[in-house]
Amino acid sequence: MGAVKLLFVVQRPPYKSENPRLALTHAIASQTAEIYMDEGDSVVPTVVLVGDGVLNAVKNQQAMKLYGVTSTESHIKNSLLIDMPIWVCKEDMARLGLKEDQMITDAEELGAELKTKFVSYADIQKEMESVKHLLFF
Amino acid sequence: MGAVKLLFVVQRPPYKSENPRLALTHAIASQTAEIYMDEGDSVVPTVVLVGDGVLNAVKNQQAMKLYGVTSTESHIKNSLLIDMPIWVCKEDMARLGLKEDQMITDAEELGAELKTKFVSYADIQKEMESVKHLLFF
Amino acid sequence: MAELTIGVFSSLVGSMSLDFSFKLAEAAMAKGHKVNMWLSGNAVMMAKKGQKAFKDYSHNEKRMKELIGKGMEITVCEACAEARGYHKEDTPEGMKRASMDWYLAKTVKTDRLFHIGGE
Amino acid sequence: MAELTIGVFSSLVGSMSLDFSFKLAEAAMAKGHKVNMWLSGNAVMMAKKGQKAFKDYSHNEKRMKELIGKGMEITVCEACAEARGYHKEDTPEGMKRASMDWYLAKTVKTDRLFHIGGE
Amino acid sequence: MKLAAFLSDWRRTEDSLERIKAEKLGVILVGNGIYHAVIKEGGKDSPVLSKAGATFYALSDDLETRGYTAANVNSKVKLISYGDIVDLIMSEYEKTAWL
Amino acid sequence: MKLAAFLSDWRRTEDSLERIKAEKLGVILVGNGIYHAVIKEGGKDSPVLSKAGATFYALSDDLETRGYTAANVNSKVKLISYGDIVDLIMSEYEKTAWL
């Protein structure tokens, strides 16, 4: 089958549901899926934060300090560290009054080279069309 | 303390959440709460279905036949059987286009004397004010 | 001081309403109030001992035990627990199992009822 | 026939999305399709055996066992299960436990993925 | 793309359906999503049913579970069974989205 | 009545808050409810904050968990701690409602 593209679509805000976190942890798991696959096969995930899902990428989340739980921010940064694309919808940021300086833009402190990509909805639509499977969370 | 009035407020439709069902089963449990109470104490529950919660009282629910699960209808009828008041908000029925002949109006087949009471929101507001505790589901 | 009864219906991992409830109970007890807690619906997920404290998941077992140790009364809905496969031997120490009427009875004498009915 | 992989994340009792998933799996297998099922998040509540079949609660253990008997592959998220206190010995017969990568790998060869990501 | 989109809620908390474009789009109402097929809030059809170019389906098991029958269903919506959903997913559409 | 009403969702699925009347009403934003205190969708305050006669509170732990600070909070809303919630429930208000 070769490389199979997957799109993880996070539509809702963090913490009230486990699902945005599970979107990230499942996408990250694509890195270790090879043990279950045939030679030459792989999965290529992209995570998009769209609608209220863009709230997952607000920076300085204190979930660990206050509730002892890994923040969604930390999962996003770990994603960047393993070069997994994180896309955030620009129109939804604008609608919710979010500026880029409020958002997780990179994970340089971890040594990640990849940065968050701020994209238009049209780019997300295009990606939905190009992948094999959609995973809405 | 004597008799303590409780108001169970069901605000959402059945089945997508366990909570409307739990409102009814908890209210019904007031019948057996005496074993934990002092002589002369009692709880007097009323269940109101308000907002989309009125959808819980649509009759002919086939949950048992199709999913093997007791219907919310059956819980409402058991409530009437033990003389527990079930109130349904008339304004919300009108908003959602529900007529009285679509609704659970009684549980005569079980031998219940009490009937569903179709009330205005003003009556519900008054009851909220008169009870000791509110339990929103 | 006064008595507060908290009823919770939300799952262990998810909405964080259980985390909220335990932190609130802790704050209330720190102010000298007596706290009772009723766990029903998916909140009976607290009635399974041996939960691993991974950092990716809400974990309330430790705080719950501390609060029980300080006098919090905590009871879970027995039928809700059995339906999920949690039996008597799964129950953490100090937690009671009872029918829903336990909660109803608590509403009589408690000064405040805080019923957290959502998921 | 073709292969369908269903991923489910909803709790045992509540939204009835698990009931939906098992009934859909049954219908797909009746039509000759191969079905794989991945349970993660609160759907790992299926990974606790001995659930009492009360009529007031969703109960999927029986249907699940039948489908496993007919060849459905079903795997639960191991970490999600441990966080909820479900250990290896709690797992119903025929159900596997694995990391999330199991699910990811299934997406490669499956003809259709039906990812039920909501509560 | 050919997309089967599932709605299982009455009060929705996303706007994904409104935004998605698909050359072939099926909207499948399941769970509390079936209320979109039977309720005319304030006398009007659910906005869901105005999604342009979509074909609408509702799962009859979930309709009957909630006390409704075919007679209540909006004429835009086709009633289907679990078996029909399997055929839609496996044959008519290529991708699925549970919104 | 003196009522403390809790909102824990951003996209709400009830209209109870809009309808409830109370001579003294506290609206306490917790969990994802805190977004009502910090987001101006389309440039406007959340409709929640227009509830007449209410006093608005937001739990600072839940605000900071989500990446916000006091500087982001609408001037109508007072930031509070868990201890403050206890005092509000036990002393300021008589009844509670988790909506």
Side-chain angles (χ1 to χ4, degrees), chain B residues 13-16 52 55 58-62 66-67 95-96 98, chain E residues 8 10-11 32 35 41-42 61-62 64-68 82:
Chain B
Y15 301 114
K16 185 65 201 257
D52 297 337
L55 291 165
V58 172
K59 71 179 178 189
N60 296 326
Q61 299 174 23
Q62 305 297 321
L66 295 164
Y67 285 97
R95 179 174 51 84
L96 298 173
L98 292 167
Chain E
S8 68
W10 165 233
R11 298 292 166 196
N32 281 1
Y35 290 123
E41 189 168 11
D61 289 49
D62 290 355
E64 292 175 20
T65 290
R66 287 157 184 78
Y68 290 91
Y82 273 99

PDB file of all heavy atoms in Angstrom, chain B residues 13-16 52 55 58-62 66-67 95-96 98, chain E residues 8 10-11 32 35 41-42 61-62 64-68 82:
ATOM      1  N   PRO B  13     -32.280  16.093  25.739  1.00  0.00           N
ATOM      2  CA  PRO B  13     -33.025  14.947  25.203  1.00  0.00           C
ATOM      3  C   PRO B  13     -32.506  13.617  25.752  1.00  0.00           C
ATOM      4  O   PRO B  13     -31.407  13.560  26.314  1.00  0.00           O
ATOM      5  CB  PRO B  13     -32.767  15.013  23.694  1.00  0.00           C
ATOM      6  CG  PRO B  13     -31.935  16.200  23.424  1.00  0.00           C
ATOM      7  CD  PRO B  13     -31.422  16.734  24.712  1.00  0.00           C
ATOM      8  N   PRO B  14     -33.286  12.556  25.594  1.00  0.00           N
ATOM      9  CA  PRO B  14     -32.873  11.247  26.111  1.00  0.00           C
ATOM     10  C   PRO B  14     -31.811  10.585  25.242  1.00  0.00           C
ATOM     11  O   PRO B  14     -31.526  11.049  24.148  1.00  0.00           O
ATOM     12  CB  PRO B  14     -34.163  10.434  26.045  1.00  0.00           C
ATOM     13  CG  PRO B  14     -34.916  11.014  24.900  1.00  0.00           C
ATOM     14  CD  PRO B  14     -34.588  12.478  24.897  1.00  0.00           C
ATOM     15  N   TYR B  15     -31.218   9.528  25.766  1.00  0.00           N
ATOM     16  CA  TYR B  15     -30.400   8.548  25.038  1.00  0.00           C
ATOM     17  C   TYR B  15     -28.997   9.000  24.650  1.00  0.00           C
ATOM     18  O   TYR B  15     -28.066   8.200  24.727  1.00  0.00           O
ATOM     19  CB  TYR B  15     -31.130   7.998  23.800  1.00  0.00           C
ATOM     20  CG  TYR B  15     -32.436   7.324  24.171  1.00  0.00           C
ATOM     21  CD1 TYR B  15     -33.675   7.831  23.775  1.00  0.00           C
ATOM     22  CD2 TYR B  15     -32.438   6.209  24.995  1.00  0.00           C
ATOM     23  CE1 TYR B  15     -34.868   7.227  24.162  1.00  0.00           C
ATOM     24  CE2 TYR B  15     -33.621   5.589  25.393  1.00  0.00           C
ATOM     25  CZ  TYR B  15     -34.832   6.113  24.977  1.00  0.00           C
ATOM     26  OH  TYR B  15     -35.988   5.518  25.372  1.00  0.00           O
ATOM     27  N   LYS B  16     -28.774  10.244  24.238  1.00  0.00           N
ATOM     28  CA  LYS B  16     -27.405  10.627  23.914  1.00  0.00           C
ATOM     29  C   LYS B  16     -26.574  10.737  25.190  1.00  0.00           C
ATOM     30  O   LYS B  16     -25.359  10.718  25.184  1.00  0.00           O
ATOM     31  CB  LYS B  16     -27.380  11.951  23.132  1.00  0.00           C
ATOM     32  CG  LYS B  16     -25.996  12.381  22.638  1.00  0.00           C
ATOM     33  CD  LYS B  16     -25.434  11.402  21.592  1.00  0.00           C
ATOM     34  CE  LYS B  16     -23.927  11.503  21.474  1.00  0.00           C
ATOM     35  NZ  LYS B  16     -23.434  12.224  20.334  1.00  0.00           N
ATOM     36  N   ASP B  52     -35.085  21.153  25.695  1.00  0.00           N
ATOM     37  CA  ASP B  52     -35.124  19.930  24.889  1.00  0.00           C
ATOM     38  C   ASP B  52     -35.448  18.705  25.740  1.00  0.00           C
ATOM     39  O   ASP B  52     -35.705  17.625  25.213  1.00  0.00           O
ATOM     40  CB  ASP B  52     -33.784  19.713  24.182  1.00  0.00           C
ATOM     41  CG  ASP B  52     -33.474  20.827  23.190  1.00  0.00           C
ATOM     42  OD1 ASP B  52     -34.428  21.483  22.729  1.00  0.00           O
ATOM     43  OD2 ASP B  52     -32.292  21.026  22.884  1.00  0.00           O
ATOM     44  N   LEU B  55     -38.400  16.261  25.139  1.00  0.00           N
ATOM     45  CA  LEU B  55     -38.331  15.135  24.203  1.00  0.00           C
ATOM     46  C   LEU B  55     -38.308  13.791  24.921  1.00  0.00           C
ATOM     47  O   LEU B  55     -38.609  12.752  24.330  1.00  0.00           O
ATOM     48  CB  LEU B  55     -37.095  15.271  23.298  1.00  0.00           C
ATOM     49  CG  LEU B  55     -37.170  16.441  22.301  1.00  0.00           C
ATOM     50  CD1 LEU B  55     -35.800  16.738  21.706  1.00  0.00           C
ATOM     51  CD2 LEU B  55     -38.169  16.116  21.185  1.00  0.00           C
ATOM     52  N   VAL B  58     -41.836  12.019  24.790  1.00  0.00           N
ATOM     53  CA  VAL B  58     -42.488  11.561  23.556  1.00  0.00           C
ATOM     54  C   VAL B  58     -42.834  10.085  23.735  1.00  0.00           C
ATOM     55  O   VAL B  58     -42.002   9.304  24.202  1.00  0.00           O
ATOM     56  CB  VAL B  58     -41.565  11.771  22.334  1.00  0.00           C
ATOM     57  CG1 VAL B  58     -42.146  11.119  21.085  1.00  0.00           C
ATOM     58  CG2 VAL B  58     -41.320  13.259  22.093  1.00  0.00           C
ATOM     59  N   LYS B  59     -44.065   9.705  23.397  1.00  0.00           N
ATOM     60  CA  LYS B  59     -44.493   8.326  23.678  1.00  0.00           C
ATOM     61  C   LYS B  59     -44.075   7.320  22.595  1.00  0.00           C
ATOM     62  O   LYS B  59     -43.555   7.709  21.563  1.00  0.00           O
ATOM     63  CB  LYS B  59     -46.002   8.276  23.916  1.00  0.00           C
ATOM     64  CG  LYS B  59     -46.869   8.495  22.694  1.00  0.00           C
ATOM     65  CD  LYS B  59     -48.355   8.389  23.089  1.00  0.00           C
ATOM     66  CE  LYS B  59     -49.231   8.655  21.864  1.00  0.00           C
ATOM     67  NZ  LYS B  59     -50.661   8.772  22.229  1.00  0.00           N
ATOM     68  N   ASN B  60     -44.314   6.058  22.873  1.00  0.00           N
ATOM     69  CA  ASN B  60     -43.984   4.946  21.959  1.00  0.00           C
ATOM     70  C   ASN B  60     -42.493   4.747  21.716  1.00  0.00           C
ATOM     71  O   ASN B  60     -42.076   4.377  20.614  1.00  0.00           O
ATOM     72  CB  ASN B  60     -44.700   5.116  20.605  1.00  0.00           C
ATOM     73  CG  ASN B  60     -46.199   5.037  20.750  1.00  0.00           C
ATOM     74  OD1 ASN B  60     -46.705   4.295  21.594  1.00  0.00           O
ATOM     75  ND2 ASN B  60     -46.922   5.813  19.948  1.00  0.00           N
ATOM     76  N   GLN B  61     -41.677   4.989  22.707  1.00  0.00           N
ATOM     77  CA  GLN B  61     -40.234   4.779  22.580  1.00  0.00           C
ATOM     78  C   GLN B  61     -39.916   3.278  22.539  1.00  0.00           C
ATOM     79  O   GLN B  61     -40.329   2.531  23.408  1.00  0.00           O
ATOM     80  CB  GLN B  61     -39.487   5.431  23.762  1.00  0.00           C
ATOM     81  CG  GLN B  61     -39.685   6.942  23.832  1.00  0.00           C
ATOM     82  CD  GLN B  61     -39.073   7.554  25.081  1.00  0.00           C
ATOM     83  OE1 GLN B  61     -38.160   6.982  25.683  1.00  0.00           O
ATOM     84  NE2 GLN B  61     -39.564   8.714  25.487  1.00  0.00           N
ATOM     85  N   GLN B  62     -39.155   2.866  21.526  1.00  0.00           N
ATOM     86  CA  GLN B  62     -38.889   1.436  21.290  1.00  0.00           C
ATOM     87  C   GLN B  62     -37.477   1.018  21.725  1.00  0.00           C
ATOM     88  O   GLN B  62     -36.873   0.129  21.125  1.00  0.00           O
ATOM     89  CB  GLN B  62     -39.083   1.115  19.807  1.00  0.00           C
ATOM     90  CG  GLN B  62     -40.434   1.507  19.241  1.00  0.00           C
ATOM     91  CD  GLN B  62     -41.575   0.759  19.913  1.00  0.00           C
ATOM     92  OE1 GLN B  62     -41.440  -0.427  20.215  1.00  0.00           O
ATOM     93  NE2 GLN B  62     -42.674   1.445  20.183  1.00  0.00           N
ATOM     94  N   LEU B  66     -35.418  -2.390  20.397  1.00  0.00           N
ATOM     95  CA  LEU B  66     -34.334  -2.199  19.437  1.00  0.00           C
ATOM     96  C   LEU B  66     -32.943  -2.251  20.060  1.00  0.00           C
ATOM     97  O   LEU B  66     -31.983  -2.630  19.398  1.00  0.00           O
ATOM     98  CB  LEU B  66     -34.534  -0.875  18.694  1.00  0.00           C
ATOM     99  CG  LEU B  66     -35.805  -0.878  17.825  1.00  0.00           C
ATOM    100  CD1 LEU B  66     -36.191   0.533  17.410  1.00  0.00           C
ATOM    101  CD2 LEU B  66     -35.607  -1.756  16.588  1.00  0.00           C
ATOM    102  N   TYR B  67     -32.825  -1.849  21.310  1.00  0.00           N
ATOM    103  CA  TYR B  67     -31.494  -1.828  21.943  1.00  0.00           C
ATOM    104  C   TYR B  67     -31.433  -2.623  23.250  1.00  0.00           C
ATOM    105  O   TYR B  67     -30.398  -2.642  23.904  1.00  0.00           O
ATOM    106  CB  TYR B  67     -31.037  -0.378  22.179  1.00  0.00           C
ATOM    107  CG  TYR B  67     -30.587   0.326  20.913  1.00  0.00           C
ATOM    108  CD1 TYR B  67     -31.453   1.157  20.210  1.00  0.00           C
ATOM    109  CD2 TYR B  67     -29.307   0.123  20.409  1.00  0.00           C
ATOM    110  CE1 TYR B  67     -31.046   1.793  19.035  1.00  0.00           C
ATOM    111  CE2 TYR B  67     -28.891   0.751  19.243  1.00  0.00           C
ATOM    112  CZ  TYR B  67     -29.762   1.581  18.563  1.00  0.00           C
ATOM    113  OH  TYR B  67     -29.361   2.199  17.408  1.00  0.00           O
ATOM    114  N   ARG B  95     -42.635  25.052  20.919  1.00  0.00           N
ATOM    115  CA  ARG B  95     -41.459  25.434  20.139  1.00  0.00           C
ATOM    116  C   ARG B  95     -40.962  24.286  19.262  1.00  0.00           C
ATOM    117  O   ARG B  95     -40.541  24.473  18.122  1.00  0.00           O
ATOM    118  CB  ARG B  95     -40.351  25.879  21.106  1.00  0.00           C
ATOM    119  CG  ARG B  95     -39.045  26.285  20.463  1.00  0.00           C
ATOM    120  CD  ARG B  95     -38.058  26.862  21.488  1.00  0.00           C
ATOM    121  NE  ARG B  95     -37.866  26.006  22.657  1.00  0.00           N
ATOM    122  CZ  ARG B  95     -37.017  24.986  22.706  1.00  0.00           C
ATOM    123  NH1 ARG B  95     -36.284  24.681  21.646  1.00  0.00           N
ATOM    124  NH2 ARG B  95     -36.909  24.251  23.791  1.00  0.00           N
ATOM    125  N   LEU B  96     -41.009  23.055  19.812  1.00  0.00           N
ATOM    126  CA  LEU B  96     -40.515  21.889  19.079  1.00  0.00           C
ATOM    127  C   LEU B  96     -41.614  21.208  18.256  1.00  0.00           C
ATOM    128  O   LEU B  96     -41.396  20.149  17.660  1.00  0.00           O
ATOM    129  CB  LEU B  96     -39.887  20.881  20.058  1.00  0.00           C
ATOM    130  CG  LEU B  96     -38.665  21.402  20.835  1.00  0.00           C
ATOM    131  CD1 LEU B  96     -38.232  20.404  21.891  1.00  0.00           C
ATOM    132  CD2 LEU B  96     -37.504  21.694  19.883  1.00  0.00           C
ATOM    133  N   LEU B  98     -44.410  19.790  19.295  1.00  0.00           N
ATOM    134  CA  LEU B  98     -44.962  18.572  19.901  1.00  0.00           C
ATOM    135  C   LEU B  98     -46.392  18.808  20.391  1.00  0.00           C
ATOM    136  O   LEU B  98     -46.643  19.736  21.156  1.00  0.00           O
ATOM    137  CB  LEU B  98     -44.077  18.143  21.085  1.00  0.00           C
ATOM    138  CG  LEU B  98     -42.679  17.651  20.732  1.00  0.00           C
ATOM    139  CD1 LEU B  98     -41.805  17.566  21.988  1.00  0.00           C
ATOM    140  CD2 LEU B  98     -42.746  16.284  20.048  1.00  0.00           C
TER     141      LEU B  98
ATOM    142  N   SER E   8     -24.840  12.880  15.253  1.00  0.00           N
ATOM    143  CA  SER E   8     -25.486  12.124  16.328  1.00  0.00           C
ATOM    144  C   SER E   8     -26.024  13.041  17.427  1.00  0.00           C
ATOM    145  O   SER E   8     -26.478  12.570  18.457  1.00  0.00           O
ATOM    146  CB  SER E   8     -24.488  11.126  16.933  1.00  0.00           C
ATOM    147  OG  SER E   8     -23.456  11.799  17.613  1.00  0.00           O
ATOM    148  N   TRP E  10     -28.407  16.600  18.571  1.00  0.00           N
ATOM    149  CA  TRP E  10     -29.463  17.541  18.213  1.00  0.00           C
ATOM    150  C   TRP E  10     -28.918  18.958  18.327  1.00  0.00           C
ATOM    151  O   TRP E  10     -28.845  19.679  17.349  1.00  0.00           O
ATOM    152  CB  TRP E  10     -30.690  17.287  19.101  1.00  0.00           C
ATOM    153  CG  TRP E  10     -31.745  18.340  19.136  1.00  0.00           C
ATOM    154  CD1 TRP E  10     -32.263  18.939  20.243  1.00  0.00           C
ATOM    155  CD2 TRP E  10     -32.466  18.903  18.018  1.00  0.00           C
ATOM    156  NE1 TRP E  10     -33.232  19.845  19.890  1.00  0.00           N
ATOM    157  CE2 TRP E  10     -33.381  19.854  18.537  1.00  0.00           C
ATOM    158  CE3 TRP E  10     -32.414  18.732  16.620  1.00  0.00           C
ATOM    159  CZ2 TRP E  10     -34.236  20.616  17.721  1.00  0.00           C
ATOM    160  CZ3 TRP E  10     -33.269  19.488  15.814  1.00  0.00           C
ATOM    161  CH2 TRP E  10     -34.170  20.407  16.361  1.00  0.00           C
ATOM    162  N   ARG E  11     -28.436  19.354  19.517  1.00  0.00           N
ATOM    163  CA  ARG E  11     -27.761  20.652  19.628  1.00  0.00           C
ATOM    164  C   ARG E  11     -26.309  20.426  19.277  1.00  0.00           C
ATOM    165  O   ARG E  11     -25.581  19.744  20.001  1.00  0.00           O
ATOM    166  CB  ARG E  11     -27.865  21.211  21.049  1.00  0.00           C
ATOM    167  CG  ARG E  11     -29.253  21.476  21.534  1.00  0.00           C
ATOM    168  CD  ARG E  11     -29.923  22.610  20.814  1.00  0.00           C
ATOM    169  NE  ARG E  11     -31.362  22.595  21.111  1.00  0.00           N
ATOM    170  CZ  ARG E  11     -32.280  23.255  20.408  1.00  0.00           C
ATOM    171  NH1 ARG E  11     -31.919  23.978  19.354  1.00  0.00           N
ATOM    172  NH2 ARG E  11     -33.553  23.191  20.728  1.00  0.00           N
ATOM    173  N   ASN E  32     -29.230  11.012  18.556  1.00  0.00           N
ATOM    174  CA  ASN E  32     -30.082  12.191  18.672  1.00  0.00           C
ATOM    175  C   ASN E  32     -30.064  13.056  17.418  1.00  0.00           C
ATOM    176  O   ASN E  32     -30.831  14.018  17.322  1.00  0.00           O
ATOM    177  CB  ASN E  32     -29.693  13.009  19.901  1.00  0.00           C
ATOM    178  CG  ASN E  32     -30.252  12.402  21.175  1.00  0.00           C
ATOM    179  OD1 ASN E  32     -30.907  11.361  21.146  1.00  0.00           O
ATOM    180  ND2 ASN E  32     -30.002  13.043  22.307  1.00  0.00           N
ATOM    181  N   TYR E  35     -33.394  13.779  15.427  1.00  0.00           N
ATOM    182  CA  TYR E  35     -34.332  14.885  15.681  1.00  0.00           C
ATOM    183  C   TYR E  35     -34.321  15.903  14.537  1.00  0.00           C
ATOM    184  O   TYR E  35     -35.324  16.574  14.296  1.00  0.00           O
ATOM    185  CB  TYR E  35     -34.020  15.575  17.016  1.00  0.00           C
ATOM    186  CG  TYR E  35     -34.340  14.727  18.239  1.00  0.00           C
ATOM    187  CD1 TYR E  35     -33.359  14.434  19.192  1.00  0.00           C
ATOM    188  CD2 TYR E  35     -35.628  14.226  18.449  1.00  0.00           C
ATOM    189  CE1 TYR E  35     -33.647  13.661  20.317  1.00  0.00           C
ATOM    190  CE2 TYR E  35     -35.918  13.449  19.577  1.00  0.00           C
ATOM    191  CZ  TYR E  35     -34.928  13.177  20.502  1.00  0.00           C
ATOM    192  OH  TYR E  35     -35.220  12.413  21.613  1.00  0.00           O
ATOM    193  N   GLU E  41     -38.383  23.109  14.615  1.00  0.00           N
ATOM    194  CA  GLU E  41     -38.316  24.069  15.727  1.00  0.00           C
ATOM    195  C   GLU E  41     -38.808  25.432  15.246  1.00  0.00           C
ATOM    196  O   GLU E  41     -38.346  25.940  14.228  1.00  0.00           O
ATOM    197  CB  GLU E  41     -36.883  24.172  16.257  1.00  0.00           C
ATOM    198  CG  GLU E  41     -36.815  24.976  17.541  1.00  0.00           C
ATOM    199  CD  GLU E  41     -35.467  24.863  18.245  1.00  0.00           C
ATOM    200  OE1 GLU E  41     -34.526  24.342  17.642  1.00  0.00           O
ATOM    201  OE2 GLU E  41     -35.375  25.311  19.409  1.00  0.00           O
ATOM    202  N   GLY E  42     -39.746  26.003  15.984  1.00  0.00           N
ATOM    203  CA  GLY E  42     -40.335  27.274  15.563  1.00  0.00           C
ATOM    204  C   GLY E  42     -40.987  27.170  14.194  1.00  0.00           C
ATOM    205  O   GLY E  42     -41.062  28.143  13.454  1.00  0.00           O
ATOM    206  N   ASP E  61     -33.950   2.633  13.444  1.00  0.00           N
ATOM    207  CA  ASP E  61     -33.870   2.138  14.824  1.00  0.00           C
ATOM    208  C   ASP E  61     -33.823   3.307  15.812  1.00  0.00           C
ATOM    209  O   ASP E  61     -34.483   3.286  16.851  1.00  0.00           O
ATOM    210  CB  ASP E  61     -32.597   1.303  15.044  1.00  0.00           C
ATOM    211  CG  ASP E  61     -32.648  -0.050  14.336  1.00  0.00           C
ATOM    212  OD1 ASP E  61     -32.975  -0.070  13.142  1.00  0.00           O
ATOM    213  OD2 ASP E  61     -32.353  -1.076  14.981  1.00  0.00           O
ATOM    214  N   ASP E  62     -33.016   4.315  15.487  1.00  0.00           N
ATOM    215  CA  ASP E  62     -32.827   5.422  16.418  1.00  0.00           C
ATOM    216  C   ASP E  62     -34.031   6.353  16.432  1.00  0.00           C
ATOM    217  O   ASP E  62     -34.325   7.008  17.433  1.00  0.00           O
ATOM    218  CB  ASP E  62     -31.527   6.172  16.080  1.00  0.00           C
ATOM    219  CG  ASP E  62     -30.305   5.305  16.409  1.00  0.00           C
ATOM    220  OD1 ASP E  62     -30.494   4.206  16.970  1.00  0.00           O
ATOM    221  OD2 ASP E  62     -29.172   5.706  16.109  1.00  0.00           O
ATOM    222  N   GLU E  64     -37.206   5.211  15.989  1.00  0.00           N
ATOM    223  CA  GLU E  64     -38.243   4.513  16.761  1.00  0.00           C
ATOM    224  C   GLU E  64     -37.897   4.447  18.247  1.00  0.00           C
ATOM    225  O   GLU E  64     -38.780   4.484  19.099  1.00  0.00           O
ATOM    226  CB  GLU E  64     -38.471   3.107  16.189  1.00  0.00           C
ATOM    227  CG  GLU E  64     -39.098   3.164  14.800  1.00  0.00           C
ATOM    228  CD  GLU E  64     -39.233   1.783  14.149  1.00  0.00           C
ATOM    229  OE1 GLU E  64     -39.214   0.777  14.885  1.00  0.00           O
ATOM    230  OE2 GLU E  64     -39.351   1.731  12.907  1.00  0.00           O
ATOM    231  N   THR E  65     -36.605   4.336  18.537  1.00  0.00           N
ATOM    232  CA  THR E  65     -36.179   4.352  19.938  1.00  0.00           C
ATOM    233  C   THR E  65     -36.690   5.608  20.640  1.00  0.00           C
ATOM    234  O   THR E  65     -37.067   5.572  21.815  1.00  0.00           O
ATOM    235  CB  THR E  65     -34.633   4.314  20.012  1.00  0.00           C
ATOM    236  OG1 THR E  65     -34.206   3.019  19.587  1.00  0.00           O
ATOM    237  CG2 THR E  65     -34.124   4.556  21.431  1.00  0.00           C
ATOM    238  N   ARG E  66     -36.738   6.713  19.892  1.00  0.00           N
ATOM    239  CA  ARG E  66     -37.131   8.005  20.467  1.00  0.00           C
ATOM    240  C   ARG E  66     -38.627   8.314  20.317  1.00  0.00           C
ATOM    241  O   ARG E  66     -39.067   9.430  20.595  1.00  0.00           O
ATOM    242  CB  ARG E  66     -36.258   9.112  19.866  1.00  0.00           C
ATOM    243  CG  ARG E  66     -34.827   9.057  20.416  1.00  0.00           C
ATOM    244  CD  ARG E  66     -33.801   9.694  19.527  1.00  0.00           C
ATOM    245  NE  ARG E  66     -32.449   9.524  20.079  1.00  0.00           N
ATOM    246  CZ  ARG E  66     -31.748   8.384  19.995  1.00  0.00           C
ATOM    247  NH1 ARG E  66     -32.253   7.329  19.379  1.00  0.00           N
ATOM    248  NH2 ARG E  66     -30.546   8.306  20.536  1.00  0.00           N
ATOM    249  N   GLY E  67     -39.416   7.335  19.847  1.00  0.00           N
ATOM    250  CA  GLY E  67     -40.868   7.509  19.804  1.00  0.00           C
ATOM    251  C   GLY E  67     -41.413   8.041  18.488  1.00  0.00           C
ATOM    252  O   GLY E  67     -42.595   8.378  18.394  1.00  0.00           O
ATOM    253  N   TYR E  68     -40.569   8.135  17.472  1.00  0.00           N
ATOM    254  CA  TYR E  68     -41.044   8.636  16.181  1.00  0.00           C
ATOM    255  C   TYR E  68     -41.190   7.498  15.173  1.00  0.00           C
ATOM    256  O   TYR E  68     -40.616   6.422  15.354  1.00  0.00           O
ATOM    257  CB  TYR E  68     -40.079   9.697  15.641  1.00  0.00           C
ATOM    258  CG  TYR E  68     -40.120  10.987  16.429  1.00  0.00           C
ATOM    259  CD1 TYR E  68     -39.270  11.191  17.513  1.00  0.00           C
ATOM    260  CD2 TYR E  68     -41.025  11.986  16.098  1.00  0.00           C
ATOM    261  CE1 TYR E  68     -39.319  12.370  18.249  1.00  0.00           C
ATOM    262  CE2 TYR E  68     -41.084  13.170  16.822  1.00  0.00           C
ATOM    263  CZ  TYR E  68     -40.233  13.353  17.896  1.00  0.00           C
ATOM    264  OH  TYR E  68     -40.285  14.514  18.621  1.00  0.00           O
ATOM    265  N   TYR E  82     -29.457  -0.462   9.710  1.00  0.00           N
ATOM    266  CA  TYR E  82     -28.017  -0.677   9.914  1.00  0.00           C
ATOM    267  C   TYR E  82     -27.373  -1.277   8.660  1.00  0.00           C
ATOM    268  O   TYR E  82     -26.272  -0.881   8.260  1.00  0.00           O
ATOM    269  CB  TYR E  82     -27.782  -1.581  11.128  1.00  0.00           C
ATOM    270  CG  TYR E  82     -27.710  -0.820  12.438  1.00  0.00           C
ATOM    271  CD1 TYR E  82     -28.803  -0.744  13.293  1.00  0.00           C
ATOM    272  CD2 TYR E  82     -26.544  -0.162  12.816  1.00  0.00           C
ATOM    273  CE1 TYR E  82     -28.748  -0.043  14.489  1.00  0.00           C
ATOM    274  CE2 TYR E  82     -26.468   0.542  14.009  1.00  0.00           C
ATOM    275  CZ  TYR E  82     -27.569   0.598  14.847  1.00  0.00           C
ATOM    276  OH  TYR E  82     -27.501   1.298  16.019  1.00  0.00           O
TER     277      TYR E  82
END
